Amino acid sequence: VSEVVQLLQEMIAIPSISPGYRESFESPYGESEIGEFVAGWLRNHRIDGQRQDVAPGRFNVIGRIGPDIAARTIVLCSHLDTVDVSSMTIPPYDPQVRDGRVWGRGACDDKGPLAAMMIALKRLSHEGSPGAGVVLAAACGEEIGMLGSAAAVDAVQNVEAVVVGEPTLFDVVYAHKGVVRWRITTEGKSAHAASPKLGINAIYRMGRIIQAIEEYQSVLADERRHPALGPATINVGVAAGGSQINVVPESCHIDVDRRCIPAETPKQATEDLRSRLESDGRIDFDFKIEPLSEHAAVECDPENPFLKQVLECAQSLEPNASFQTAPYATDATNLQRWNAPTPVVGPGDMADAHTAAESISVEQLELGVELYCRIVKRFIDGA
Ligand SMILES: [Zn+2]
């Protein structure tokens, strides 16, 4: 098997489920073991590699070739963590190669693109020092919270171009929505269920908020629409309240997911919701909105020269590749803080991501190495 297939197999064999908001990161949760593997791999190939601590037990690995920190720099970013494996119907950590595909958790999301970026970096390093900084950012925590890419922005300077590696089948994703999540809480007053008038029912209060949010959904569909990405959306995903069937509930919370278009900032989305609920005549009581996460939408200009180069590189390997938007969010939401273009492109099919039998095409994976090499070389030549 080829070098990139072998590397991907080694990485699939190391569990790295995103720990999310867990407190312990013991395998299979957490990215430290896969992070150590990537750092060791860089060392073995004499590529400068740094561990960037992000949170207790969580770190990114930043590899670099080329001149010192002052040079114009391109960043290749993929993530170390995967989603959970409990629903899988194939062995998650025993990577098999059959039917022209590599099978296992993370095969396409996101260890395939990461392995392709690593082999590309190694190949480029063998061609002598490039005329620009080439950085590999292997980020932790993409699946839940995106804390790795948020920190990575502080670890690299003079960034002029970014490539986010996700399985896009070589399409170049130039825009995606942002996502803001909140927990909303209502308080009541407990009482015996036989005497409800003595209490205040926190679930009834929340019911009015839920109704207002349901109505807000159609307002957003009418008023907040992006020509390519479609409308902003809002959804109540979790509702929980009360303690016992015979008690008037004293507290209730909902978790709400709001998808933003590029014209909206997460802060605006929060303020819009707050003022809408506060001015609603049915909601004549206090409630609390706590942000759980805030990620802005991404929109790069397809006319940007770097984006055009990336598309040309992709089309040189996959003639059907085109500019696309994505329904999902990526680390680009944080990496755009470099004020550099952040296209998302990579081998594999997002339709295989997070699935019970995740896999990636060997052909795509191998072409992925070539894709990232070509993108970097075009960037360096464009100086
Ligand atoms: Zn991913």
Side-chain angles (χ1 to χ4, degrees):
V1 300
S2 64
E3 193 178 19
V4 67
V5 169
Q6 196 179 337
L7 176 61
L8 174 57
Q9 286 182 284
E10 289 177 57
M11 294 205 294
I12 289 172
I14 302 171
S16 59
I17 299 175
S18 207
Y21 307 110
R22 280 167 181 270
E23 308 214 322
S24 109
F25 309 137
E26 240 161 76
S27 184
Y29 295 94
E31 307 94 344
S32 48
E33 201 179 337
I34 186 84
E36 297 291 359
F37 173 86
V38 173
W41 185 91
L42 291 170
R43 255 194 316 277
N44 290 342
H45 293 95
R46 295 199 204 88
I47 296 169
D48 175 47
Q50 308 279 340
R51 180 179 145 150
Q52 182 195 16
D53 289 313
V54 169
R58 317 284 303 273
F59 61 90
N60 298 328
V61 178
I62 311 284
R64 164 184 281 273
I65 61 171
D68 70 5
I69 203 151
R72 60 194 286 266
T73 296
I74 181 170
V75 177
L76 308 178
C77 179
S78 293
H79 60 90
L80 294 163
D81 58 321
T82 71
V83 291
D84 206 345
V85 301
S86 51
S87 62
M88 288 191 79
T89 54
I90 59 167
Y93 310 124
D94 181 17
Q96 315 279 322
V97 183
R98 65 183 144 77
D99 308 327
R101 306 182 71 81
V102 185
W103 301 78
R105 179 54 88 220
C108 76
D109 186 13
D110 196 30
K111 291 176 177 175
L114 176 58
M117 285 181 166
M118 289 165 70
I119 299 294
L121 192 70
K122 180 191 154 188
R123 275 198 205 159
L124 291 159
S125 76
H126 287 178
E127 294 176 8
S129 185
V134 184
V135 167
L136 172 77
C140 64
E142 192 271 349
E143 295 291 354
I144 303 173
M146 297 187 175
L147 68 169
S149 56
V153 174
D154 299 324
V156 192
Q157 272 83 49
N158 302 315
V159 175
E160 289 188 11
V162 182
V163 179
V164 178
E166 292 280 354
T168 66
L169 285 173
F170 289 35
D171 284 336
V172 178
V173 172
Y174 69 96
H176 62 67
K177 286 180 191 169
V179 55
V180 187
R181 292 182 174 140
W182 307 286
R183 172 158 293 180
I184 301 180
T185 309
T186 53
E187 305 291 345
K189 182 171 161 243
S190 66
H192 195 290
S195 311
K197 286 218 154 104
L198 297 179
I200 298 170
N201 189 315
I203 294 179
Y204 292 166
R205 286 185 160 180
M206 188 60 83
R208 295 184 227 165
I209 288 179
I210 291 171
Q211 193 174 0
I213 292 175
E214 189 182 354
E215 291 160 12
Y216 188 31
Q217 163 65 64
S218 47
V219 175
L220 290 174
D222 289 342
E223 295 179 2
R224 301 284 171 83
R225 186 174 285 275
H226 181 274
L229 292 169
T233 59
I234 191 165
N235 181 63
V236 177
V238 174
S243 55
Q244 283 193 76
I245 192 167
N246 56 352
V247 176
V248 175
E250 65 178 350
S251 144
C252 182
H253 77 257
I254 56 174
D255 291 344
V256 184
D257 175 296
R258 167 79 152 80
R259 303 289 159 148
C260 305
I261 58 174
E264 309 176 294
T265 66
K267 293 242 170 318
Q268 282 165 344
T270 304
E271 279 322 303
D272 282 0
L273 178 67
R274 188 189 301 282
S275 63
R276 194 173 170 87
L277 295 179
E278 281 174 355
S279 62
D280 188 313
R282 294 167 295 185
I283 301 170
D284 53 356
F285 47 84
D286 288 341
F287 59 90
K288 199 165 72 184
I289 302 184
E290 298 163 85
L292 300 175
S293 62
E294 295 188 336
H295 298 297
V298 172
E299 185 172 36
C300 303
D301 179 3
E303 295 297 313
N304 174 286
F306 178 68
L307 261 81
K308 287 183 169 171
Q309 289 171 16
V310 169
L311 183 64
E312 283 165 20
C313 292
Q315 286 174 335
S316 70
L317 297 163
E318 170 50 74
N320 294 323
S322 61
F323 281 128
Q324 293 288 342
T325 62
Y328 49 82
T330 73
D331 278 328
T333 183
N334 289 320
L335 303 181
Q336 64 184 335
R337 281 175 37 218
W338 273 315
N339 285 318
T342 56
V344 182
V345 64
D349 187 345
M350 194 53 96
D352 292 316
H354 303 195
T355 59
E358 182 174 348
S359 67
I360 189 169
S361 140
V362 168
E363 189 194 2
Q364 277 266 315
L365 185 64
E366 290 171 347
L367 286 176
V369 176
E370 187 58 31
L371 171 71
Y372 295 131
C373 283
R374 287 186 189 185
I375 290 172
V376 170
K377 285 181 182 170
R378 282 291 299 270
F379 172 78
I380 292 167
D381 291 348

